[in-house]
Amino acid sequence: MARQSTIETLHEHVVSLRRFALVLTRNRDDAEDLVQETLTRAIAAIDSYQSGTDLRAWLFRIMNNVHISAARKRQVRDAAGATLPDPVAEATQSLRVEVRQVLAALDELPDSQREAILLMALEDMKYKDAAEILNVPLGTFMSRIARGREALRRAMEGAKSVRLRIVGGCQ
Amino acid sequence: MKPAINEFDLNAYVDGQLSPEREAHVEAILAGEPEDRTHLESLVEQKRLLRAGLAAIPAEEGSFRTLRLERQLAAKLARRERPAAGDWLRRAAAAVLFVASGWGGHMLYAEVSPPMPEYVAEAAGAHLVFADKPLRPADIDPTHPVQMASWLSNELGQTVTIPSLKALSIDFVGGRLLGTKEGPLAHLVYEDEVGHRVTLTIAPHRYQGNTGLKLGQRDAMTLGYWSDATLSYAVVAKTSDAQIAAIASEITEASRSGRTAVGPPAPVD
């Protein structure tokens, strides 16, 4: 019963972790590394998982920790200037212009706001759990959500007015 | 113009984080503030677009190594959940099923505690409870709720009453003491008007506080289990979750208000 459902949902969580990782790293190899490192650490830290608690939140928390330390290392490597095709941009090529714009705007946000917004868009979870995953106080999390979304909204409005001007210019 | 609803509340509203009261409050303000409504709509639309974008990123396929790690973690989680599945209440419920489903039933639960076949562990428990005393004193009538309650209370070391399920047209039929590896359990049998059996198992527990009703299924039987401050209960019957929940609620209500089962009419000598 409960045991089966945990195992069944694990795959779903892994897919969700990969999606989160893809947006964070914008690189398929880095994202897969991040997922693998998260799973490896989860296996090693299995004793810290309390059964009956939110498995998804536990995995995301591990991934966030892995990401923070990996991001530091990557900064050094990225300085060398390796540019790989961006899987997010590639995948969203065919989508509506507004969808691409909001993803592009998300990419411009500071990491802290981007992660908070991303988590709430990916998963329906309590603010309290999301704040724990990102290891920040609830108030900080809420202000990141509010500030980040406000920035996205402005970016979207800016993009809209540019679009309107282009259309207007054609008439 | 200053918005009537602060940003935190508006975002929390979008994410479904507000209590029903707070949500109603926000909605009441929104009704009179078109500007806030427009703002809200843009936030909702933004989240919707983001979701659509994220869902479009292919993430199903990972590397073979990731899949292997996922399987390893799944196996670890399964192993880890076994002790939890062995928590007291579930084991009590399983002990009931063990009895209810006869000897074949021991296989049901054997997977949960690998070192010893379940029936061997149960045999050890039964020995502890029964070896030094008769199965039931000769002067106790198993169909007599008052006699049973007093004898079972004595054996369990806790005051046990035999709740009346009369309100649901379910009658007390009889009771017995079970010897399990968790110690003695009171096992009460009830019957409805058409002869369907319901069993209630009661055991003292060793922790503080109450737990809510949990439901489970085994071998076409539905079981519900919960605890009050001192005792744990498991109800088993071949019926629906809703029925089990109704019976469980009647039992807690009966225990609270002291409605105990009445026995058959006293024999006339």
Side-chain angles (χ1 to χ4, degrees), chain B residues 88-89 158 203-214 225-233 252:
Chain B
W88 192 89
L89 282 172
Q158 283 282 357
H205 57 64
R206 298 180 207 91
Y207 58 88
Q208 295 282 313
N210 305 354
T211 67
L213 177 69
K214 294 181 192 172
Y225 50 97
W226 73 98
S227 300
D228 61 21
T230 53
L231 297 167
S232 293
Y233 305 81
T252 49

Side-chain angles (χ1 to χ4, degrees), chain B residues 15 55 57-58 95 119 128 152 171:
Chain B
D15 294 320
I57 302 170
Y119 75 94
L128 272 178
L152 290 170
D171 292 320

